[in-house]
Amino acid sequence: VAISHHVAGRIRRYYNRQANVVYPPVDTAFFRPDETPHEGFALVVSALVPYKRIDVAIDACARARVPLQIVGDGPDRSHLERRATGETRFLGRVPDEAMRDLYRSAAVVLLPGEEDFGIVPLEAQACGTPVVALGRGGALETVVDGETGMLAHEPGPVAFADAVSRALSHRFDTGAIRRHAEGFGRERFGDEIEALVSDTMQAGQARW
């Protein structure tokens, strides 16, 4: 079982095995929109480690002149704090309710690194907030370019800043963003896992 078609392709390439894809679930009951207005800042929710490419988000927001708030902690924090401008705030770890409030009030949520899947974009979309993500890996399966967010097709800060600017000037349909995220909910996950286990057991009994 793979968490995305991106991962399934890697399993096929390296192990010559076919994997069934079951997307991890997002808690759409907890992460949901309310009447909170979107404010003019971008949000990152991430561990602060190099492969997450938080440096790209910092540089891109500086180029686009967009304030950035960063939730999370990790060994790269001191380096990133030295790199950041005065328009970047490091919030550290925050409770789930505070993180949900940030999702709701952010103008965009950023995913600057390549992920196998990435649950943050779906938590943001479940709150009705668009996502700007690197157009590689799992983001190609969780973000609909031009509908639920914008994809940056190059990994550097210039392309990412352009995607942020395009997202901020675009009129998104909050309801459509929310409906897209609902397709990744817990009920869907449970149904797909149950069906996969049932099919596997039936196939095994048939061989016996």
Side-chain angles (χ1 to χ4, degrees):
V1 179
I3 61 173
S4 67
H5 291 284
H6 173 66
V7 173
R10 195 161 65 231
I11 292 171
R12 184 167 55 251
R13 185 164 61 252
Y14 290 113
Y15 299 101
N16 196 30
R17 298 287 299 273
Q18 189 70 29
N20 293 288
V21 174
V22 179
Y23 292 126
V26 63
D27 187 352
T28 55
F30 180 79
F31 293 105
R32 62 187 186 277
D34 66 1
E35 300 304 315
T36 302
H38 290 297
E39 300 177 21
F41 70 91
L43 176 68
V44 166
V45 178
S46 176
L48 304 187
V49 293
Y51 86 91
K52 296 289 189 176
R53 300 311 312 271
I54 310 304
D55 57 325
V56 170
I58 291 171
D59 292 351
C61 286
R63 292 181 69 93
R65 298 185 178 182
V66 176
L68 174 63
Q69 298 192 33
I70 299 173
V71 171
D73 211 342
D76 216 25
R77 178 168 178 169
S78 60
H79 163 71
L80 293 170
E81 287 178 331
R82 290 193 299 271
R83 185 188 192 101
T85 69
E87 290 296 303
T88 301
R89 294 180 59 202
F90 289 81
L91 305 179
R93 302 179 188 277
V94 302
D96 289 346
E97 290 79 6
M99 188 168 69
R100 180 179 60 186
D101 290 342
L102 287 165
Y103 279 140
R104 289 168 170 172
S105 58
V108 289
V109 172
L110 310 183
L111 186 75
E114 181 176 340
E115 301 281 352
D116 287 340
F117 180 70
I119 200 69
V120 165
L122 288 170
E123 291 176 348
Q125 291 172 85
C127 292
T129 300
V131 173
V132 174
L134 177 63
R136 298 182 181 180
L140 293 172
E141 301 173 51
T142 59
V143 180
V144 183
D145 195 22
E147 295 184 21
T148 71
M150 293 290 179
L151 296 177
H153 297 290
E154 297 294 334
V158 175
F160 213 79
D162 176 68
V164 169
S165 297
R166 286 188 286 116
L168 292 176
S169 63
H170 188 79
R171 188 182 295 276
F172 288 100
D173 181 341
T174 300
I177 294 174
R178 166 69 183 181
R179 288 191 293 274
H180 173 69
E182 288 174 333
F184 293 84
R186 288 180 169 180
E187 184 176 355
R188 182 273 318 161
F189 175 78
D191 290 344
E192 290 184 3
I193 285 291
E194 184 177 0
L196 181 60
V197 170
S198 177
D199 290 347
T200 301
M201 292 182 66
Q202 289 178 11
Q205 291 170 353
R207 285 197 300 271
W208 297 334

